[in-house]
């Protein structure tokens, strides 16, 4: 769906998810993430970039697992530490994954995905057309209930900072395996909040599309 249509539907309160496609994934649906090897860090930094031309192809189960772990996974199980920092270790940013099969929440402790909406929410995650058909769209959501120890005036800023760190982890993972990605803030907050069924303590922060790069277009 093109941007103008999304803007018009959004104004009418009619920007909605599509029916889901494919077999739903279950909690046990994630492979163990790869936690070693890969491209050298400085090379991944050299290649990091935003790309907006995606093929409508899946990223593969191993990539899905590893990119979720890179974004928000537990890297120090004895401490419950994560791959990205958070103020006072509140770990307040929840990571959602919009797939053709449905909307899932990543559960870092179990390294699993929990289905939360049985619809294809991808097109509601942004006004740009590529978000509809790329393999997946990540959505970063602040859970304010986890930030009781953070001064109220700082909560939103701290949550955005934490989401930014998570997003950069995704950028670096994508650079290292040759996937395309772009972090995004241009979406209909009301429509997406509704489509995701978010509660009053939850605040949308950012979205990030991940998928297979359309080489023919990006080379133009
Ligand atoms: C907070 C934030 C919001 C952004 N929102 C969008 C967006 O809605 N759509 C988009 O296509 N790119 C978005 N971007 C990506 C920037 O346009 C991109 O990072 C910038 O042009 C620099 O390009 P590079 O990432 O390739 O270095 C956003 C980036 C940030 C940090």
């Amino acid at each position: 769906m093109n941007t103008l249509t999304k803007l018009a539907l959004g104004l009418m309160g009619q920007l909605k998810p599509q029916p889901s496609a494919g077999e739903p994934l279950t909690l046990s649906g994630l492979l163990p993430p790869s936690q070693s090897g890969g491209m050298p860090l400085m090379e991944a930094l050299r290649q990091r970039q935003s790309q907006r031309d995606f093929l409508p192809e899946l990223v593969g189960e191993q990539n899905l697992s590893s990119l979720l772990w890179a974004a928000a996974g537990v890297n120090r199980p004895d401490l419950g530490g994560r791959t990205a920092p958070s103020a006072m270790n509140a770990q307040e940013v929840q990571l959602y994954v919009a797939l053709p099969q449905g909307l899932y929440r990543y559960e870092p402790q179990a390294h699993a995905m929990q289905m939360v909406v049985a619809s294809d929410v991808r097109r509601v995650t942004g006004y740009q057309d590529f978000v509809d058909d790329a393999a997946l769209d990540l959505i970063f959501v602040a859970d304010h209930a986890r930030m009781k120890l953070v001064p109220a005036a700082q909560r939103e800023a701290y949550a955005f900072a934490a989401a930014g760190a998570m997003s950069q982890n995704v950028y670096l993972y994508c650079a290292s395996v040759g996937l395309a990605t772009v972090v995004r803030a241009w979406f209909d907050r009301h429509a997406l909040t509704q489509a995701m069924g978010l509660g009053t303590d939850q605040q949308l922060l950012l979205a990030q599309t991940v998928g297979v790069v359309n080489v023919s277009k990006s080379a133009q």
Side-chain angles (χ1 to χ4, degrees):
M1 186 185 289
N2 69 40
T3 299
L4 282 179
T5 308
K6 289 190 188 196
L7 286 166
L9 286 176
L11 284 175
M12 295 185 288
Q14 293 301 322
L15 184 56
K16 305 259 166 115
Q18 301 188 84
S20 61
E23 285 294 304
L25 308 172
T26 62
L27 252 182
S28 55
L30 285 176
L31 297 172
S34 4
Q35 298 184 19
S36 61
M39 181 182 278
L41 175 63
M42 300 314 270
E43 175 69 12
L45 281 167
R46 199 178 64 76
Q47 295 199 21
R48 188 218 64 85
Q49 61 180 305
S50 298
Q51 290 175 290
R52 299 175 183 79
D53 292 314
F54 299 89
L55 292 174
E57 289 178 11
L58 303 175
V59 296
E61 287 185 39
Q62 187 62 65
N63 276 327
L64 176 61
S65 167
S66 299
L67 80 88
L68 293 177
W69 183 81
V74 174
N75 66 352
R76 289 151 292 158
D78 45 336
L79 303 169
R82 302 280 186 86
T83 54
S86 58
M88 302 176 81
N89 199 22
Q91 302 182 354
E92 73 277 16
V93 180
Q94 301 169 311
L95 184 61
Y96 287 76
V97 195
L99 292 165
Q101 297 94 327
L103 178 72
Y104 297 80
R105 190 176 53 243
Y106 177 57
E107 305 292 348
Q109 300 297 337
H111 187 63
M113 295 192 311
Q114 177 77 58
M115 180 181 263
V116 290
V117 177
S119 308
D120 181 354
V121 173
R122 288 177 299 170
R123 78 172 172 199
V124 192
T125 70
Y127 285 120
Q128 289 155 291
D129 55 4
F130 60 78
V131 311
D132 303 19
D133 303 311
L136 62 98
D137 294 292
L138 302 171
I139 306 132
F140 301 90
V141 174
D143 179 4
H144 283 259
R146 292 189 64 98
M147 288 192 282
K148 300 281 190 230
L149 297 178
V150 176
Q154 304 300 327
R155 287 178 192 161
E156 182 171 325
Y158 287 5
F160 268 105
M166 294 164 71
S167 162
Q168 178 74 350
N169 287 358
V170 174
Y171 266 106
L172 293 175
Y173 178 76
C174 289
S176 77
V177 295
L179 289 173
T181 191
V182 58
V183 69
R184 300 179 286 99
W186 192 40
F187 48 77
D188 183 329
R189 285 171 189 273
H190 179 70
L192 188 52
T193 298
Q194 285 214 318
M196 296 177 69
L198 296 183
T200 48
D201 273 333
Q202 291 180 293
Q203 178 192 5
L204 283 172
L205 300 171
L206 297 168
Q208 185 163 9
T209 305
V210 175
V212 177
V213 64
N214 187 343
V215 180
S216 61
K217 273 197 161 181
S218 57
Q220 284 169 8

